[in-house]
Amino acid sequence: MRIPLSWLREYVDLPATETGRDLQEKLVATGLEVETVEQLGAGLKGPLVVGQVLTIEELEGFKKPIRFCTVDVGRANGTGEPQEIVCGARNFAVGDKVVVVLPGAVLPGDFAIAARKTYGKTSHGMICSGDELGMGDDGSGGIIVLPPEHEVGTDAIELLQLVDEVLDIAVTANRGDCLSLRGVAREAAIAYGLPLRDPALLDVPAPNANGYPVRISEPAGCDRFTARTVTGLNPEARSPIWLRRRLQKAGMRPISLAVDITNYVMLELGQPLHAYDRSLVQGAIGVRRAEQGEKFTTLDGAKRVLDAEDLVITDDRGPIGLAGVMGGANTEIADHDADAGTTDVVIEAAHFDPVSIARTARRHKLSSEASKRFERGVDPQAASAAAQRTVDLLVLLAGGTADPGVTEVIAPSAPHTITLPADHPDKVAGVTYGRETVVRRLQQVGCDVYGQDNLTVTVPSWRPDLVEPNDLAEEVIRLEGYENLPSTLPRPPAGRGLTERQRLHRRVGRALAGAGYVEALNYPFISDETLGKLGIEQDDPRRTTVKLVNPLSDEEPALRTTMLPGLLEALRRNDGRGSHDLALFETGLVFRPTGDEPQAVRLPVDRRPTDEEIAGLDAALPRQPRHAAVVLTGAREQAGWWGNGRPADWADAVEAARTIAREAGVELIVRGDQHAPWHPGRCAALFAVVDGAETLVGHAGELHPRVIKALHLPERSCAMEIDLDLVERAGTGALQAPRISTFPVATQDVALVVDASVPAADVEKALREGAGELLESLRLFDVFTGEQLGEGRKSLAYALRFRATDRTLTVDEASAARDAAVALAAERTGAVLRGA
């Protein structure tokens, strides 16, 4: 919400020396998030005056239309002579009043104005458009043409209110009252301890039987509807400068007088309004639910198919407005440029159900200024005042006549009351405020408070977010100042801390970060289309997803079953922005439904659910294992004076999995596999011994070329995904520090020739078992194929390190252990010593 400081001062007598920054500090202290304070007109320097176009000469011979004008600027130029100006705009004529900037002036952006020769003429200044003055879009599409009543030579800086400060406030979902000048002014008045001139305090005529007929058939969706009629509007009347400028400063574009007035009142009071061309409304206005499939064209020209839950405004023909969201094209107000402008209008000021409006706006992907306010909560008591304010402005500015008929349809309702102990805010904050402070602060926000030790609080109509005692406690605390709350560190009970599972997850994150990976946090949402691009078949369990009823994006309506889509999207985005050497990781939950989960029951809200109800809810949840995943592309090691670098490859993805497993004290078994989305010849299946059985815990390798093309990834990108829960189960509990032997190591190298189809993991497993307890480590350091070995054969070279904890090994002992290892590898895999 953009709040011009000059407008705000109409409702609160802020000190004259108070700046937008000062007000920002005060409002932030009360809990409002003021994001920026924009300085309008910063650096602007005159002379900037009103001028009248005397003559226009069309210059020919140029690629675009150019006009040489003489403009009367009075005595602003010091001579009183007409000012000669070259201009390319064409939306003005002789006799029009325009805004002229003279030599010596400086426009926003430090644009200095001086006489200069252009198109064969000397231009002494410039005729200005709204964009050049920093005013934004004024709807003219060119030069500012002023109403004729403004005198030549008048200071345009003051006339157009070009110098001001605008506060941009990020209004949270519970503070719909602050989507208005009235609401922010109330907060400012409280912050400064000043009285508020409430713009909603107006004399409103009582409802009578002569108003425009209104029928509400859905009182649950619309509990209040005020209709007023104004006739005899001047269709040529235009919005005055002050009105247009206030709308522009607040971030809205001026359209036509009637529409501008409804927008102005909405910004002022927070009550969305709609004006219907009375000549286009047929019969009584109604409020009902739409018929399923009913069609309707909104003001933006879009043809919409309505849902049975949509609330619509109707006349005898059908829908004329999508209630609380947008009006219909069939009753649109005609602007002053139309052949037959609107002369009679019916004004709607209503209060709609917030949930219904929010769902309609999301269903039709149509977020409007009106829906933004209704779904956050609008003051129902302000509807009649807003309608009266609109009527008054239409009479004043458009020369209309207020119809004496006043229609108000109101569903009976009682004000909301809350009972709380007077010391409840003290207990919540840990600060002693006292009853007087609590009562004073609650009264400042508009509450009526009665009682002594137990307070009965009637909530003001403009604060629907105050529903329970803790809400009232929060009001007291924020107004007394969050900064005044004491800082007290919690005292956890001794002997507690992170669980072993939590420690493992943290160790995994630190280990991957230490290995050069950067953590990327992604949304846990995916689409079936993305799973298809990953090459995952329809019968794959990863295709069975949990669909969300109300997703953030319709393009990603399901919970992830794999970590890779989010990471690969982060990889693509960063690569597209110039970061080509990437190594990213993420840990998090995936959601693996089986389809056999029972339907969740709705839990009660008036009591604590029973253990059985909670257990039933848990049973309805899908399995949610925690996974870790990495993606890599580009250089894994950079080239430099120290030597050549190397690109990331599938082996790095496998090593990332081993890094994770080592943190749990687990040795992975790696075998070749074919598994989407990996390259069938460069995919490794990762196994670990879980509960005594060899169990698949993940995959790693290079991505399939089709996947890389479909997702627009860099070539040869690699990935790994592993189930952390299974890895944890495979571990032996808390890691034991290794015992460091003081005796020397004995190293033996062996090169074994096996069939090309034999996995290196099988050979390695046999070597480990055969070498026995003396084997300290085993490392594959070379793989060789060639004619010397024969077709379909490969050589695997291993470095074996032997060490005893109590003695120095002899050559015979090390050789015997090596021979035992080779013998078992030969028995199990058919390996033979190379060269034997």
Side-chain angles (χ1 to χ4, degrees):
M1 178 69 187
R2 290 171 57 86
I3 304 293
L5 184 57
S6 60
W7 192 356
L8 187 70
R9 289 182 183 275
E10 286 196 4
Y11 314 118
V12 184
D13 290 326
L14 298 176
T17 58
E18 207 73 357
T19 66
R21 296 288 183 191
D22 298 330
L23 179 58
Q24 177 188 28
E25 184 177 345
K26 290 279 191 179
L27 293 179
V28 168
T30 63
L32 290 186
E33 185 180 347
V34 183
E35 294 187 324
T36 60
V37 178
E38 184 179 350
Q39 305 289 333
L40 299 184
L44 178 63
K45 175 185 173 184
L48 186 71
V49 299
V50 175
Q52 184 171 23
V53 180
L54 300 178
T55 64
I56 297 177
E57 176 188 351
E58 300 288 346
L59 301 182
E60 299 180 353
F62 300 102
K63 293 182 179 179
K64 61 179 182 179
I66 299 296
R67 309 167 106 187
F68 180 64
C69 311
T70 58
V71 184
D72 178 13
V73 295
R75 302 293 300 179
N77 58 5
T79 65
E81 296 295 324
Q83 202 79 359
E84 296 180 340
I85 298 175
V86 176
C87 184
R90 308 191 64 80
N91 68 313
F92 64 95
V94 172
D96 282 347
K97 299 286 181 67
V98 294
V99 178
V100 179
V101 58
L102 301 177
V106 179
L107 295 184
D110 200 25
F111 180 31
I113 302 299
R116 66 187 184 95
K117 192 168 184 178
T118 180
Y119 297 102
K121 301 284 186 179
T122 300
S123 182
H124 299 274
M126 187 168 69
I127 302 175
C128 298
S129 68
D131 286 337
E132 290 163 340
L133 298 178
M135 295 170 56
D137 184 11
D138 62 356
S140 67
I143 294 302
I144 300 172
V145 178
L146 299 171
E149 62 267 18
H150 297 292
E151 293 185 8
V152 169
T154 301
D155 183 6
I157 294 179
E158 182 177 350
L159 175 67
L160 298 177
Q161 306 171 23
L162 297 178
V163 179
D164 202 352
E165 293 181 274
V166 178
L167 286 75
D168 195 351
I169 302 176
V171 180
T172 54
N174 66 317
R175 290 304 303 273
D177 60 304
C178 287
L179 285 172
S180 67
L181 269 294
R182 181 194 184 202
V184 176
R186 183 179 291 106
E187 293 294 314
I190 295 173
Y192 283 91
L194 296 171
L196 169 71
R197 288 188 293 275
D198 192 342
L201 295 180
L202 300 174
D203 291 330
V204 179
N208 53 58
N210 303 320
Y212 199 91
V214 174
R215 294 192 298 267
I216 297 180
S217 57
E218 185 61 34
C222 176
D223 57 9
R224 181 181 291 263
F225 196 108
T226 300
R228 299 290 299 275
T229 304
V230 180
T231 60
L233 300 179
N234 178 9
E236 299 297 325
R238 298 179 60 184
S239 301
I241 290 176
W242 65 266
L243 176 58
R244 297 164 67 88
R245 287 298 293 135
R246 285 188 172 180
L247 290 177
Q248 288 175 321
K249 292 177 186 179
M252 302 191 76
R253 182 173 64 88
I255 299 174
S256 64
L257 179 56
V259 176
D260 291 348
I261 287 174
T262 58
N263 287 336
Y264 178 87
V265 175
M266 177 186 68
L267 293 172
E268 184 179 51
L269 301 181
Q271 169 67 53
L273 301 110
H274 191 72
Y276 300 94
D277 188 327
R278 184 178 179 181
S279 65
L280 300 178
V281 180
Q282 299 181 10
I285 292 177
V287 182
R288 62 169 172 83
R289 296 290 177 183
E291 297 176 5
Q292 186 66 39
E294 196 170 10
K295 296 182 179 179
F296 168 64
T297 302
T298 46
L299 284 173
D300 57 0
K303 295 182 178 179
R304 304 186 184 276
V305 179
L306 302 181
D307 187 90
E309 290 189 6
D310 293 334
L311 199 64
V312 292
I313 310 298
T314 64
D315 65 2
D316 290 349
R317 297 167 298 175
I320 59 173
L322 200 54
V325 180
M326 186 174 285
N330 51 357
T331 55
E332 182 178 5
I333 297 290
D335 62 28
H336 61 271
D337 293 326
D339 294 335
T342 298
T343 59
D344 301 337
V345 297
V346 177
I347 300 160
E348 165 207 309
H351 184 261
F352 301 110
D353 175 55
V355 174
S356 177
I357 301 305
R359 289 176 176 172
T360 295
R362 283 159 177 75
R363 188 179 300 117
H364 294 281
K365 298 180 177 62
L366 187 59
S367 179
S368 64
E369 291 292 334
S371 68
K372 189 188 304 181
R373 285 164 173 79
F374 277 122
E375 64 188 42
R376 285 167 171 78
V378 168
D379 181 3
Q381 303 295 332
S384 56
Q388 182 62 44
R389 178 72 165 140
T390 305
V391 169
D392 293 343
L393 288 173
L394 285 172
V395 171
L396 175 67
L397 302 178
T401 301
D403 193 285
V406 178
T407 301
E408 276 198 14
V409 181
I410 303 174
S413 63
H416 180 54
T417 59
I418 303 172
T419 302
L420 82 160
D423 62 350
H424 182 67
D426 302 8
K427 295 178 179 178
V428 172
V431 176
T432 302
Y433 293 124
R435 179 188 177 280
E436 290 185 2
T437 299
V438 171
V439 171
R440 175 171 56 86
R441 289 303 190 183
L442 292 178
Q443 288 175 341
Q444 284 179 333
V445 299
C447 297
D448 290 331
V449 185
Y450 303 96
Q452 293 298 319
D453 294 339
N454 285 303
L455 304 179
T456 300
V457 181
T458 301
V459 175
S461 58
W462 56 83
R463 291 299 302 273
D465 59 305
L466 303 180
V467 296
E468 62 172 5
N470 285 333
D471 296 330
L472 300 179
E474 182 183 2
E475 292 299 299
V476 175
I477 295 168
R478 75 175 180 90
L479 294 179
E480 283 295 303
Y482 290 119
E483 69 278 6
N484 296 322
L485 293 178
S487 298
T488 306
L489 292 176
R491 296 182 179 179
R496 297 189 184 181
L498 299 177
T499 65
E500 183 57 36
R501 185 169 188 253
Q502 291 170 326
R503 292 192 183 97
L504 172 62
H505 295 162
R506 292 196 178 188
R507 290 201 306 271
V508 166
R510 287 194 293 266
L512 289 175
Y517 291 85
V518 176
E519 186 171 15
L521 301 177
N522 300 291
Y523 286 120
F525 309 123
I526 59 172
S527 66
D528 288 338
E529 180 184 3
T530 300
L531 295 176
K533 289 180 178 179
L534 289 174
I536 299 176
E537 299 294 338
Q538 290 292 342
D539 58 352
D540 192 295
R542 291 172 291 175
R543 279 285 197 162
T544 304
T545 59
V546 177
K547 296 294 193 302
L548 300 175
V549 175
N550 189 23
L552 290 180
S553 169
D554 290 339
E555 296 179 355
E556 294 179 326
L559 293 174
R560 66 188 175 195
T561 56
T562 167
M563 304 286 291
L564 293 182
L567 273 177
L568 293 176
E569 172 59 23
L571 185 79
R572 182 200 63 77
R573 184 167 55 250
N574 282 275
D575 180 73
R577 294 178 180 176
S579 298
H580 304 303
D581 302 324
L582 295 164
L584 308 178
F585 84 93
E586 182 179 14
T587 62
L589 301 180
V590 297
F591 306 86
R592 293 290 185 85
T594 62
D596 298 329
E597 293 85 4
Q599 185 174 0
V601 297
R602 189 180 296 274
L603 296 181
V605 296
D606 58 341
R607 59 174 175 80
R608 183 190 183 281
T610 64
D611 293 341
E612 291 75 15
E613 288 172 331
I614 295 175
L617 185 64
D618 289 338
L621 296 176
R623 191 170 63 88
Q624 301 173 53
R626 181 173 291 272
H627 281 202
V630 305
V631 292
L632 308 96
T633 191
R636 186 67 179 128
E637 296 178 3
Q638 298 290 337
W641 57 265
W642 51 84
N644 295 327
R646 68 172 184 83
D649 61 17
W650 62 270
D652 293 302
V654 173
E655 182 58 28
R658 287 195 169 111
T659 299
I660 292 172
R662 280 195 291 269
E663 294 301 319
V666 175
E667 282 291 334
L668 290 180
I669 304 166
V670 181
R671 293 195 178 93
D673 196 7
Q674 294 186 16
H675 188 71
W678 286 276
H679 191 297
R682 299 175 187 141
C683 173
L686 310 173
F687 293 86
V689 177
V690 180
D691 300 330
E694 197 173 281
T695 304
L696 179 68
V697 296
H699 286 87
E702 183 180 313
L703 294 175
H704 198 290
R706 284 198 297 267
V707 174
I708 289 175
K709 182 178 180 181
L711 297 179
H712 308 290
L713 300 173
E715 293 184 0
R716 309 300 293 269
S717 294
C718 301
M720 180 278 298
E721 184 169 11
I722 193 168
D723 189 325
L724 278 181
D725 288 352
L726 288 177
V727 171
E728 181 187 6
R729 287 173 54 193
T732 55
L735 289 178
Q736 298 295 323
R739 177 175 293 179
I740 306 300
S741 174
T742 59
F743 295 96
V745 67
T747 302
Q748 298 273 356
D749 293 346
V750 296
L752 302 177
V753 179
V754 296
D755 288 339
S757 61
V758 175
D762 290 351
V763 178
E764 181 176 326
K765 182 178 180 182
L767 289 174
R768 286 186 183 279
E769 293 183 13
E773 295 181 353
L774 294 178
L775 182 66
E776 182 180 81
S777 67
L778 173 67
R779 180 173 64 88
L780 174 66
F781 66 86
D782 184 55
V783 179
F784 174 76
T785 57
E787 295 180 359
Q788 307 93 304
L789 301 178
E791 186 176 354
R793 304 281 282 174
K794 64 181 177 183
S795 171
L796 305 176
Y798 291 92
L800 291 79
R801 291 168 56 91
F802 299 98
R803 195 193 313 253
T805 59
D806 57 351
R807 67 186 186 282
T808 298
L809 293 178
T810 65
V811 173
D812 291 341
E813 286 177 312
S815 297
R818 180 202 63 185
D819 293 342
V822 171
L824 187 58
E827 177 185 339
R828 291 187 179 178
T829 66
V832 295
L833 277 172
R834 185 175 173 185

mmCIF file of all heavy atoms in Angstrom, residues 355-382:
data_model
loop_
_atom_site.group_PDB
_atom_site.id
_atom_site.type_symbol
_atom_site.label_atom_id
_atom_site.label_comp_id
_atom_site.label_asym_id
_atom_site.label_seq_id
_atom_site.Cartn_x
_atom_site.Cartn_y
_atom_site.Cartn_z
ATOM 1 N N VAL A 355 -13.527 -15.441 2.523
ATOM 2 C CA VAL A 355 -13.097 -16.725 1.969
ATOM 3 C C VAL A 355 -13.656 -16.912 0.560
ATOM 4 O O VAL A 355 -12.955 -17.353 -0.355
ATOM 5 C CB VAL A 355 -13.537 -17.879 2.892
ATOM 6 C CG1 VAL A 355 -13.219 -19.226 2.261
ATOM 7 C CG2 VAL A 355 -12.859 -17.750 4.252
ATOM 8 N N SER A 356 -14.914 -16.567 0.371
ATOM 9 C CA SER A 356 -15.532 -16.708 -0.946
ATOM 10 C C SER A 356 -14.818 -15.851 -1.982
ATOM 11 O O SER A 356 -14.535 -16.310 -3.100
ATOM 12 C CB SER A 356 -17.010 -16.320 -0.871
ATOM 13 O OG SER A 356 -17.610 -16.374 -2.145
ATOM 14 N N ILE A 357 -14.487 -14.612 -1.631
ATOM 15 C CA ILE A 357 -13.815 -13.722 -2.575
ATOM 16 C C ILE A 357 -12.416 -14.228 -2.882
ATOM 17 O O ILE A 357 -11.968 -14.215 -4.036
ATOM 18 C CB ILE A 357 -13.759 -12.285 -2.017
ATOM 19 C CG1 ILE A 357 -15.171 -11.770 -1.742
ATOM 20 C CG2 ILE A 357 -13.012 -11.368 -2.968
ATOM 21 C CD1 ILE A 357 -16.101 -11.826 -2.932
ATOM 22 N N ALA A 358 -11.700 -14.688 -1.860
ATOM 23 C CA ALA A 358 -10.345 -15.198 -2.071
ATOM 24 C C ALA A 358 -10.358 -16.390 -3.020
ATOM 25 O O ALA A 358 -9.516 -16.491 -3.921
ATOM 26 C CB ALA A 358 -9.709 -15.577 -0.735
ATOM 27 N N ARG A 359 -11.307 -17.287 -2.833
ATOM 28 C CA ARG A 359 -11.368 -18.472 -3.708
ATOM 29 C C ARG A 359 -11.729 -18.091 -5.132
ATOM 30 O O ARG A 359 -11.171 -18.632 -6.089
ATOM 31 C CB ARG A 359 -12.379 -19.465 -3.139
ATOM 32 C CG ARG A 359 -11.897 -20.146 -1.865
ATOM 33 C CD ARG A 359 -12.959 -21.053 -1.271
ATOM 34 N NE ARG A 359 -12.448 -21.766 -0.111
ATOM 35 C CZ ARG A 359 -13.193 -22.510 0.702
ATOM 36 N NH1 ARG A 359 -14.496 -22.630 0.459
ATOM 37 N NH2 ARG A 359 -12.654 -23.124 1.742
ATOM 38 N N THR A 360 -12.664 -17.148 -5.290
ATOM 39 C CA THR A 360 -13.037 -16.719 -6.640
ATOM 40 C C THR A 360 -11.858 -16.063 -7.344
ATOM 41 O O THR A 360 -11.595 -16.337 -8.522
ATOM 42 C CB THR A 360 -14.223 -15.734 -6.571
ATOM 43 O OG1 THR A 360 -15.366 -16.424 -6.058
ATOM 44 C CG2 THR A 360 -14.551 -15.176 -7.947
ATOM 45 N N ALA A 361 -11.134 -15.189 -6.633
ATOM 46 C CA ALA A 361 -9.991 -14.506 -7.239
ATOM 47 C C ALA A 361 -8.932 -15.504 -7.675
ATOM 48 O O ALA A 361 -8.357 -15.373 -8.767
ATOM 49 C CB ALA A 361 -9.403 -13.493 -6.261
ATOM 50 N N ARG A 362 -8.675 -16.522 -6.874
ATOM 51 C CA ARG A 362 -7.666 -17.511 -7.247
ATOM 52 C C ARG A 362 -8.176 -18.439 -8.340
ATOM 53 O O ARG A 362 -7.415 -18.841 -9.226
ATOM 54 C CB ARG A 362 -7.250 -18.313 -6.014
ATOM 55 C CG ARG A 362 -6.315 -17.535 -5.106
ATOM 56 C CD ARG A 362 -6.316 -18.088 -3.684
ATOM 57 N NE ARG A 362 -5.373 -17.382 -2.835
ATOM 58 C CZ ARG A 362 -5.583 -16.158 -2.355
ATOM 59 N NH1 ARG A 362 -6.697 -15.515 -2.671
ATOM 60 N NH2 ARG A 362 -4.686 -15.567 -1.584
ATOM 61 N N ARG A 363 -9.458 -18.755 -8.273
ATOM 62 C CA ARG A 363 -10.014 -19.645 -9.285
ATOM 63 C C ARG A 363 -9.915 -19.041 -10.683
ATOM 64 O O ARG A 363 -9.625 -19.728 -11.657
ATOM 65 C CB ARG A 363 -11.476 -19.948 -8.933
ATOM 66 C CG ARG A 363 -12.121 -21.027 -9.797
ATOM 67 C CD ARG A 363 -13.554 -21.261 -9.363
ATOM 68 N NE ARG A 363 -13.648 -21.696 -7.990
ATOM 69 C CZ ARG A 363 -14.249 -21.040 -7.015
ATOM 70 N NH1 ARG A 363 -14.830 -19.866 -7.261
ATOM 71 N NH2 ARG A 363 -14.293 -21.513 -5.781
ATOM 72 N N HIS A 364 -10.138 -17.740 -10.769
ATOM 73 C CA HIS A 364 -10.103 -17.068 -12.068
ATOM 74 C C HIS A 364 -8.778 -16.353 -12.330
ATOM 75 O O HIS A 364 -8.667 -15.647 -13.328
ATOM 76 C CB HIS A 364 -11.260 -16.057 -12.156
ATOM 77 C CG HIS A 364 -12.616 -16.695 -12.146
ATOM 78 N ND1 HIS A 364 -13.176 -17.284 -13.270
ATOM 79 C CD2 HIS A 364 -13.525 -16.867 -11.148
ATOM 80 C CE1 HIS A 364 -14.370 -17.769 -12.969
ATOM 81 N NE2 HIS A 364 -14.605 -17.537 -11.687
ATOM 82 N N LYS A 365 -7.815 -16.546 -11.394
ATOM 83 C CA LYS A 365 -6.506 -15.893 -11.533
ATOM 84 C C LYS A 365 -6.694 -14.398 -11.779
ATOM 85 O O LYS A 365 -6.122 -13.821 -12.702
ATOM 86 C CB LYS A 365 -5.688 -16.529 -12.660
ATOM 87 C CG LYS A 365 -5.370 -18.002 -12.431
ATOM 88 C CD LYS A 365 -4.549 -18.562 -13.578
ATOM 89 C CE LYS A 365 -4.172 -20.010 -13.287
ATOM 90 N NZ LYS A 365 -5.333 -20.891 -13.172
ATOM 91 N N LEU A 366 -7.506 -13.780 -10.951
ATOM 92 C CA LEU A 366 -7.907 -12.385 -11.141
ATOM 93 C C LEU A 366 -7.783 -11.645 -9.807
ATOM 94 O O LEU A 366 -8.753 -11.451 -9.089
ATOM 95 C CB LEU A 366 -9.344 -12.321 -11.657
ATOM 96 C CG LEU A 366 -9.882 -10.943 -12.063
ATOM 97 C CD1 LEU A 366 -9.026 -10.337 -13.156
ATOM 98 C CD2 LEU A 366 -11.329 -11.065 -12.525
ATOM 99 N N SER A 367 -6.559 -11.248 -9.480
ATOM 100 C CA SER A 367 -6.331 -10.486 -8.258
ATOM 101 C C SER A 367 -6.512 -9.007 -8.562
ATOM 102 O O SER A 367 -5.814 -8.438 -9.392
ATOM 103 C CB SER A 367 -4.921 -10.744 -7.726
ATOM 104 O OG SER A 367 -4.683 -9.986 -6.561
ATOM 105 N N SER A 368 -7.468 -8.384 -7.912
ATOM 106 C CA SER A 368 -7.749 -6.965 -8.120
ATOM 107 C C SER A 368 -7.567 -6.213 -6.809
ATOM 108 O O SER A 368 -7.418 -6.808 -5.749
ATOM 109 C CB SER A 368 -9.180 -6.774 -8.634
ATOM 110 O OG SER A 368 -10.123 -7.202 -7.655
ATOM 111 N N GLU A 369 -7.582 -4.884 -6.898
ATOM 112 C CA GLU A 369 -7.485 -4.083 -5.685
ATOM 113 C C GLU A 369 -8.654 -4.379 -4.745
ATOM 114 O O GLU A 369 -8.501 -4.374 -3.526
ATOM 115 C CB GLU A 369 -7.455 -2.593 -6.041
ATOM 116 C CG GLU A 369 -6.192 -2.141 -6.750
ATOM 117 C CD GLU A 369 -4.970 -2.185 -5.860
ATOM 118 O OE1 GLU A 369 -5.133 -2.075 -4.642
ATOM 119 O OE2 GLU A 369 -3.849 -2.333 -6.381
ATOM 120 N N ALA A 370 -9.823 -4.644 -5.326
ATOM 121 C CA ALA A 370 -10.988 -4.956 -4.494
ATOM 122 C C ALA A 370 -10.826 -6.310 -3.807
ATOM 123 O O ALA A 370 -11.022 -6.441 -2.590
ATOM 124 C CB ALA A 370 -12.253 -4.936 -5.350
ATOM 125 N N SER A 371 -10.461 -7.339 -4.561
ATOM 126 C CA SER A 371 -10.338 -8.670 -3.960
ATOM 127 C C SER A 371 -9.229 -8.698 -2.922
ATOM 128 O O SER A 371 -9.332 -9.393 -1.902
ATOM 129 C CB SER A 371 -10.075 -9.710 -5.047
ATOM 130 O OG SER A 371 -8.801 -9.534 -5.634
ATOM 131 N N LYS A 372 -8.165 -7.943 -3.158
ATOM 132 C CA LYS A 372 -7.061 -7.892 -2.208
ATOM 133 C C LYS A 372 -7.548 -7.390 -0.847
ATOM 134 O O LYS A 372 -7.086 -7.845 0.200
ATOM 135 C CB LYS A 372 -5.979 -6.963 -2.751
ATOM 136 C CG LYS A 372 -4.670 -6.979 -1.969
ATOM 137 C CD LYS A 372 -3.727 -5.888 -2.447
ATOM 138 C CE LYS A 372 -3.456 -5.993 -3.928
ATOM 139 N NZ LYS A 372 -2.509 -4.926 -4.363
ATOM 140 N N ARG A 373 -8.495 -6.470 -0.853
ATOM 141 C CA ARG A 373 -9.013 -5.924 0.400
ATOM 142 C C ARG A 373 -10.067 -6.825 1.024
ATOM 143 O O ARG A 373 -10.060 -7.068 2.233
ATOM 144 C CB ARG A 373 -9.568 -4.513 0.149
ATOM 145 C CG ARG A 373 -8.458 -3.485 -0.033
ATOM 146 C CD ARG A 373 -8.945 -2.187 -0.644
ATOM 147 N NE ARG A 373 -7.888 -1.187 -0.636
ATOM 148 C CZ ARG A 373 -6.895 -1.136 -1.512
ATOM 149 N NH1 ARG A 373 -6.822 -2.044 -2.479
ATOM 150 N NH2 ARG A 373 -5.956 -0.210 -1.422
ATOM 151 N N PHE A 374 -10.991 -7.322 0.203
ATOM 152 C CA PHE A 374 -12.058 -8.160 0.763
ATOM 153 C C PHE A 374 -11.495 -9.424 1.404
ATOM 154 O O PHE A 374 -11.974 -9.853 2.461
ATOM 155 C CB PHE A 374 -13.065 -8.527 -0.323
ATOM 156 C CG PHE A 374 -14.106 -7.460 -0.564
ATOM 157 C CD1 PHE A 374 -14.262 -6.898 -1.819
ATOM 158 C CD2 PHE A 374 -14.917 -7.022 0.462
ATOM 159 C CE1 PHE A 374 -15.212 -5.914 -2.052
ATOM 160 C CE2 PHE A 374 -15.875 -6.037 0.248
ATOM 161 C CZ PHE A 374 -16.012 -5.484 -1.017
ATOM 162 N N GLU A 375 -10.510 -10.051 0.783
ATOM 163 C CA GLU A 375 -10.013 -11.313 1.332
ATOM 164 C C GLU A 375 -9.199 -11.093 2.603
ATOM 165 O O GLU A 375 -8.989 -12.026 3.373
ATOM 166 C CB GLU A 375 -9.199 -12.070 0.299
ATOM 167 C CG GLU A 375 -7.929 -11.408 -0.153
ATOM 168 C CD GLU A 375 -7.281 -12.132 -1.329
ATOM 169 O OE1 GLU A 375 -8.005 -12.559 -2.252
ATOM 170 O OE2 GLU A 375 -6.070 -12.259 -1.318
ATOM 171 N N ARG A 376 -8.728 -9.870 2.856
ATOM 172 C CA ARG A 376 -8.002 -9.560 4.090
ATOM 173 C C ARG A 376 -8.922 -9.014 5.176
ATOM 174 O O ARG A 376 -8.509 -8.932 6.335
ATOM 175 C CB ARG A 376 -6.884 -8.556 3.806
ATOM 176 C CG ARG A 376 -5.688 -9.173 3.101
ATOM 177 C CD ARG A 376 -4.762 -8.100 2.564
ATOM 178 N NE ARG A 376 -3.517 -8.654 2.062
ATOM 179 C CZ ARG A 376 -3.381 -9.249 0.883
ATOM 180 N NH1 ARG A 376 -4.437 -9.344 0.084
ATOM 181 N NH2 ARG A 376 -2.227 -9.741 0.493
ATOM 182 N N GLY A 377 -10.130 -8.632 4.818
ATOM 183 C CA GLY A 377 -11.083 -8.133 5.798
ATOM 184 C C GLY A 377 -11.356 -6.659 5.639
ATOM 185 O O GLY A 377 -10.458 -5.826 5.779
ATOM 186 N N VAL A 378 -12.598 -6.320 5.306
ATOM 187 C CA VAL A 378 -13.039 -4.939 5.122
ATOM 188 C C VAL A 378 -14.008 -4.588 6.236
ATOM 189 O O VAL A 378 -14.781 -5.433 6.698
ATOM 190 C CB VAL A 378 -13.703 -4.777 3.732
ATOM 191 C CG1 VAL A 378 -14.422 -3.441 3.611
ATOM 192 C CG2 VAL A 378 -12.656 -4.908 2.634
ATOM 193 N N ASP A 379 -13.971 -3.339 6.683
ATOM 194 C CA ASP A 379 -14.872 -2.864 7.731
ATOM 195 C C ASP A 379 -16.306 -2.843 7.194
ATOM 196 O O ASP A 379 -16.647 -2.029 6.343
ATOM 197 C CB ASP A 379 -14.446 -1.458 8.156
ATOM 198 C CG ASP A 379 -15.327 -0.904 9.268
ATOM 199 O OD1 ASP A 379 -16.223 -1.631 9.752
ATOM 200 O OD2 ASP A 379 -15.117 0.265 9.661
ATOM 201 N N PRO A 380 -17.190 -3.731 7.680
ATOM 202 C CA PRO A 380 -18.566 -3.740 7.155
ATOM 203 C C PRO A 380 -19.331 -2.467 7.500
ATOM 204 O O PRO A 380 -20.253 -2.075 6.775
ATOM 205 C CB PRO A 380 -19.189 -4.974 7.814
ATOM 206 C CG PRO A 380 -18.366 -5.218 9.028
ATOM 207 C CD PRO A 380 -16.981 -4.774 8.697
ATOM 208 N N GLN A 381 -18.947 -1.810 8.602
ATOM 209 C CA GLN A 381 -19.654 -0.600 9.001
ATOM 210 C C GLN A 381 -19.285 0.604 8.140
ATOM 211 O O GLN A 381 -19.931 1.655 8.245
ATOM 212 C CB GLN A 381 -19.326 -0.284 10.470
ATOM 213 C CG GLN A 381 -19.649 -1.410 11.448
ATOM 214 C CD GLN A 381 -21.139 -1.690 11.537
ATOM 215 O OE1 GLN A 381 -21.951 -0.797 11.312
ATOM 216 N NE2 GLN A 381 -21.503 -2.922 11.838
ATOM 217 N N ALA A 382 -18.259 0.469 7.300
ATOM 218 C CA ALA A 382 -17.810 1.603 6.478
ATOM 219 C C ALA A 382 -18.527 1.682 5.145
ATOM 220 O O ALA A 382 -18.326 2.641 4.395
ATOM 221 C CB ALA A 382 -16.306 1.513 6.249
#
